[in-house]
Amino acid sequence: MAVVRSDRRADPRSREAAGGARRPVPDRAHVRGLGTPGCRPGSVGTTGSRRADIPDLPSSPGQRPGSAHAARAAWRRHCRVRAPTDPGREPGGARRVSVVRLGRIGYINCYPVYGAIDRGVTPLAAELVTGTPSELNDLLAAGELDLSVVSAVEYARHARDYILLPDLAISCDGPVRSVALFSRRPVGQLDDRTVLLTASSRTAVDLLELLCRDVWNVRPRMAQARAEAADLDGLAHLPHEAVLVIGDAALLLAARHAYPHRYDLGEEWKRWTGLPFVFAIWAARRAADQRAARAVHHTLLAARDWGLAHLDLLAVAAARATGVGITDCRSYLAGLDYALTDRHLAGLTDFFRRLAARGLVPDGSLQFLQVA
Amino acid sequence: MAVVRSDRRADPRSREAAGGARRPVPDRAHVRGLGTPGCRPGSVGTTGSRRADIPDLPSSPGQRPGSAHAARAAWRRHCRVRAPTDPGREPGGARRVSVVRLGRIGYINCYPVYGAIDRGVTPLAAELVTGTPSELNDLLAAGELDLSVVSAVEYARHARDYILLPDLAISCDGPVRSVALFSRRPVGQLDDRTVLLTASSRTAVDLLELLCRDVWNVRPRMAQARAEAADLDGLAHLPHEAVLVIGDAALLLAARHAYPHRYDLGEEWKRWTGLPFVFAIWAARRAADQRAARAVHHTLLAARDWGLAHLDLLAVAAARATGVGITDCRSYLAGLDYALTDRHLAGLTDFFRRLAARGLVPDGSLQFLQVA
């Protein structure tokens, strides 16, 4: 059966090709799109040229955290973190070009931060790259991005190479709605049962593991699967007792009422610790140009202020992108928190502390980009 | 822009819902589809009820092997391999039901083995579960599948729990076409450049790492990404110098001629070692019912014999599913090898030996299901 699909829904990353480029970037002329020889990937330059009435970002695709053999993981880390040997390259980066690259998650939960940028309300002197959290995590680690919103846990894993952007995060103080375990049985009965893990997330997977081990006292069998919005129908046919889904896909799956049990991971964390939970932070590579990073940070804060003042408008765009109702989108976006204050930091460091106690991340501390 | 898409193309796993179920499976009534409350996931029972003219399987989605922290990976492995504690459960399995579950990769390279089963030519007394190689790997490890085609390297990682099905594999002796590194520069210049790795593969990723290290003498930065057929447009917008793609997506990407350099991993392996390369094998869990496993194995061999005698017909179905031309599909399928003879085993064990020397898999040996 052929069905009509929005192209942007099925593959949100491709949306950026529609953006206009103001700056010539001759050095990157060799970087071509997979399907469009000769064109640059993504929109480049200030996005002020974009129309204010363009539709917003849709849901997005993913990767995998677990199941790698230890030595393999070590080898990969080795590949990634070693200093570049080519003197003609930026320190810490694999690129020779000077355009700043900023990562963006393709879920609607990023609308309040990127909506003003997409509409040209807040011009951004950077190229945007859209991906799943997992994809952005890897691209920032590889030096392909200078700054990005990434899984919170990625900061703990790469604190030597990253610096946090102050006062900006995606967090919740109670239910988050878009990070949930959908289950066919009560969570206490998941011992030895199969839980599918979205390949798009890292922080949610780590949080789920902590909850299973320390709160629910169960040890399910974990299996990774593709679990973006476009994957939900296929996911139904993989055998499992529960599935961890994030982002727009989690909102859509909740609306289907296909599982008798749904555990909101923000809510579970709050019940356990009494603290807010920080799912995503913005980080810059330490090797990135600090002045440019500060400029991007300044833009992001201004864009967020605009976004939070225009949630009605963003909810309409979010509903169009996901198929979730406008009212639902509005209340979802309003329920998220985009600040990073001491309260949030208490939640973040408590999470890191628990992961470090399990040997899942190195011990460390938070370091922030210095801003005026 | 709205585009017309084949539903099965966009999400091949959901195809199985179309299959008829002959056997009642009352114990699994609690297992419901994500979008269709109350219905069972996948087609269940003998597939002899299927029409012989149904279209064949399309391309399929994925997961992630690398970048996991070592301790995390260890914890996951621990979760997966420990013996089930519930006495009411099958040993080694997380299910309470007796229907045998067989995994199938949703790429056209599985048509020659599953085509006869799909058409009811060779009745199969098992439930089929379709996924990417990575998804099937995890589901077999979790005990959700009894038998499956899996990434070859998975056997080496789970030899304690798995047993090989004799005389059946997906391999090549030279170019394979559907496992390729697409690159913007010669492979010798990928040092410190970003290579995107499909999240759907394990064996191809391991092979690429060996080639980078031991043959090409380069150490790229690896980043995982979604890279199934439906992801190709989005993938173009992630910054990278090269990308490893497998399955139908690799055939489609080759047809776009978007990269100046393309390295066929089957061909590279052959040039390096002079041996065939085995990409996928069929394995059964040791804990699975051996008589049922032998019956499934017998069916698979008969189905393969039918498939290899009907490549013209399968090529038409493959072309319809992928959009790749019939002639191309025909020559692609004809170029693959579905046997597992001493020649193939020489290639397989040489691959395992090289991985073990790097500490990437444990040392071990091959054990086969005993058949008449």
Side-chain angles (χ1 to χ4, degrees), chain A residues 62 64 75 213 224 226, chain B residues 62-64 75 213 224 226:
Chain A
R64 115 153 307 207
W75 191 83
R213 195 147 177 158
Q224 205 163 38
R226 287 164 61 95
Chain B
Q63 266 168 348
R64 114 153 309 207
W75 191 83
R213 194 147 176 158
Q224 205 162 38
R226 287 163 63 94

Side-chain angles (χ1 to χ4, degrees), chain B residues 222-268:
Chain B
M222 306 298 198
Q224 205 162 38
R226 287 163 63 94
E228 290 297 320
D231 305 316
L232 290 182
D233 292 335
L235 197 64
H237 301 291
L238 296 181
H240 63 283
E241 284 300 304
V243 57
L244 175 67
V245 182
I246 68 163
D248 301 352
L251 300 176
L252 287 166
L253 191 50
R256 294 187 184 187
H257 302 290
Y259 294 83
H261 306 279
R262 181 178 159 279
Y263 299 88
D264 182 303
L265 263 57
E267 191 173 6
E268 297 298 322

Side-chain angles (χ1 to χ4, degrees), chain A residues 1-7 10-11 13-14 17 30-35 41-42 61-73 75-80 82 84-86 89 92 94 96 101 129-130 135 138-139 141-142 144 157 184 191-194 196-197 202 205-206 209 213 219-226 228 230-239 241 253 256 258-260 359-360, chain B residues 1-5 7 10-11 13-14 17 30-35 41-42 61-73 75-80 82 84-86 89 92 94 96 101 129-130 135 138-139 141-142 144 157 184 191-194 196-197 202 205-206 209 213 219-226 228 230-241 253 256 258-260 359-360:
Chain A
M1 192 187 77
V3 294
V4 176
R5 287 237 168 99
S6 151
D7 200 33
D11 197 343
R13 292 175 301 195
S14 63
H30 69 282
V31 183
R32 305 182 309 168
L34 295 175
Q63 267 166 349
R64 115 153 307 207
S67 94
H69 193 274
R72 234 158 70 120
W75 191 83
R76 294 258 171 71
R77 280 196 306 280
H78 176 64
C79 282
R80 281 194 200 143
R82 76 208 166 86
T85 50
D86 182 341
R89 202 165 302 167
R96 291 164 192 278
R101 284 210 195 116
V129 171
T130 301
E135 285 170 340
D138 276 11
L139 289 171
E144 288 291 345
R157 298 224 162 92
R184 298 192 168 115
D191 210 29
D192 235 350
R193 303 287 166 167
T194 297
L196 298 181
L197 305 174
R202 302 242 169 100
V205 167
D206 284 323
E209 288 180 353
R213 195 147 177 158
R219 289 164 67 190
R221 296 155 181 266
M222 306 297 199
Q224 205 163 38
R226 287 164 61 95
E228 291 297 320
D231 305 316
L232 290 181
D233 291 334
L235 197 63
H237 302 291
L238 296 181
E241 284 300 304
L253 191 50
R256 294 186 183 188
Y259 294 83
L360 299 179
Chain B
M1 192 187 78
V3 293
V4 176
R5 287 239 169 98
D7 200 34
D11 198 344
R13 293 174 301 194
S14 62
H30 69 282
V31 182
R32 305 183 308 169
L34 295 175
Q63 266 168 348
R64 114 153 309 207
S67 94
H69 192 274
R72 233 158 70 121
W75 191 83
R76 294 256 172 72
R77 279 196 306 278
H78 176 64
C79 282
R80 281 195 201 143
R82 75 208 167 86
T85 50
D86 182 342
R89 201 164 304 166
R96 290 164 192 278
R101 283 210 196 117
V129 171
T130 301
E135 286 170 340
D138 276 10
L139 289 170
E144 288 290 344
R157 298 223 162 92
R184 297 191 169 116
D191 209 30
D192 236 350
R193 303 287 166 168
T194 297
L196 298 181
L197 305 174
R202 301 241 170 102
V205 167
D206 284 324
E209 289 181 353
R213 194 147 176 158
R219 289 163 67 188
R221 296 155 181 267
M222 306 298 198
Q224 205 162 38
R226 287 163 63 94
E228 290 297 320
D231 305 316
L232 290 182
D233 292 335
L235 197 64
H237 301 291
L238 296 181
H240 63 283
E241 284 300 304
L253 191 50
R256 294 187 184 187
Y259 294 83
L360 300 179

